[in-house]
Amino acid sequence: MTTTCRIVVLISGSGSNLQAIIDAIDTKQIPAEIVAVISNKAEAYGLQRAASANIATQVLPYAGFTDRQEYDQALMACINQYQPDLIILAGFMRILSNELVHHYPGRMLNIHPSLLPKYKGLNTHQRVLEAGEKEHGATVHFVTPELDSGPIILQGKIPILKTDNEQQLTQHIHKLEHQIYPQAVMWFAQGRLHLSGNTVLLDQHPITPQQQIYTQSITGQLSNN
Ligand code: GRF
């Protein structure tokens, strides 16, 4: 990408992933500018994070729209005002219509708190604990119309400790997310990451498992060996 990558971030809540990306842009790790943060919830704390970073914010609540199609038309119009190169879903708790997703092919990323394709959908930490899994993680992927099913860019894995409860696991996964999401956004902003059909390309070659999978040790060290 020759010019600075323009990013619109969609949120519904705390925005800690948004913050991780703001910080990585501020420290020049990501050659990008967040041109707007859009939330469907007026009370989302992420809006305050954006305002503190002097980023434009918009609130687009669902109330008042008759269906998903109509809402997504308004959302698209809102996004398009900012002419983004990349749209980032960071805890945006609405399912997007096919039409909206198709409008931004290869230009929309999501982060999901599980090792996809396992545990799509909600309450992943609780379900992982109930299933007695030995490891858990988070996945950054390109967005396609089917929920949590787009081509995988990066995954971070952590072991589940015997002592982990849902709250602790949530915190561990959040920390992991704050490392892998900025990494994927950095690749995109550098013009190194593309989607070709269903294949994720890094530096023009299909991404390899070694580039894709990061494992965090008990000491918090993240590595992809
Ligand atoms: C994250 O766990 C992300 O994986 C999921 O929603 C959560 C958002 O957290 N999609 P935050 O708002 O970024 O703190």
Side-chain angles (χ1 to χ4, degrees):
M1 196 158 295
T2 46
T3 51
T4 303
C5 178
R6 295 171 62 82
I7 300 176
V8 166
V9 184
L10 306 190
I11 61 164
S12 300
S14 152
S16 68
N17 280 285
L18 163 68
Q19 188 67 56
I21 293 164
I22 291 174
D23 293 346
I25 291 173
D26 279 354
T27 54
K28 314 262 182 256
Q29 293 167 67
I30 303 180
E33 181 188 358
I34 300 179
V35 288
V37 170
I38 302 171
S39 173
N40 62 324
K41 304 253 186 233
E43 67 279 13
Y45 179 64
L47 290 168
Q48 292 182 41
R49 298 182 191 268
S52 304
N54 293 316
I55 297 169
T57 59
Q58 298 262 356
V59 179
L60 192 64
Y62 181 70
F65 291 93
T66 50
D67 58 21
R68 191 192 312 282
Q69 247 55 36
E70 199 184 276
Y71 179 83
D72 279 7
Q73 281 298 333
L75 182 57
M76 252 190 284
C78 188
I79 294 170
N80 291 346
Q81 285 175 46
Y82 297 98
Q83 302 185 327
D85 300 300
L86 177 65
I87 295 100
I88 293 179
L89 308 182
F92 187 61
M93 299 303 286
R94 282 196 55 82
I95 294 176
L96 300 172
S97 60
N98 291 2
E99 198 191 346
L100 188 142
V101 173
H102 283 139
H103 199 72
Y104 307 104
R107 296 201 286 135
M108 190 181 273
L109 307 184
N110 183 40
I111 189 156
H112 181 76
S114 80
L115 291 169
L116 290 173
K118 292 172 96 175
Y119 301 100
K120 296 174 182 177
L122 297 173
N123 303 323
T124 57
H125 310 308
Q126 185 196 334
R127 285 156 58 208
V128 161
L129 283 173
E130 281 168 6
E133 297 279 2
K134 297 270 180 299
E135 60 179 17
H136 187 26
T139 303
V140 181
H141 64 94
F142 280 105
V143 176
T144 53
E146 204 189 327
L147 188 69
D148 300 330
S149 298
I152 291 174
I153 302 165
L154 272 182
Q155 290 193 310
K157 274 189 196 179
I158 53 171
I160 297 180
L161 310 178
K162 286 210 170 59
T163 51
D164 273 341
N165 59 29
E166 192 184 342
Q167 198 193 357
Q168 286 159 332
L169 201 53
T170 305
Q171 281 174 7
H172 295 154
I173 294 295
H174 256 121
K175 267 197 198 151
L176 193 61
E177 291 184 336
H178 301 160
Q179 300 178 68
I180 63 171
Y181 215 178
Q183 164 85 63
V185 175
M186 181 186 84
W187 282 343
F188 189 97
Q190 290 172 334
R192 299 175 58 193
L193 185 68
H194 295 98
L195 184 64
S196 170
N198 276 328
T199 306
V200 175
L201 302 179
L202 182 65
D203 299 329
Q204 317 298 334
H205 298 289
I207 194 163
T208 63
Q210 214 206 345
Q211 291 167 320
Q212 238 171 2
I213 299 171
Y214 285 75
T215 306
Q216 191 170 60
S217 70
I218 248 141
T219 58
Q221 194 84 24
L222 200 62
S223 61
N224 63 342
N225 297 315

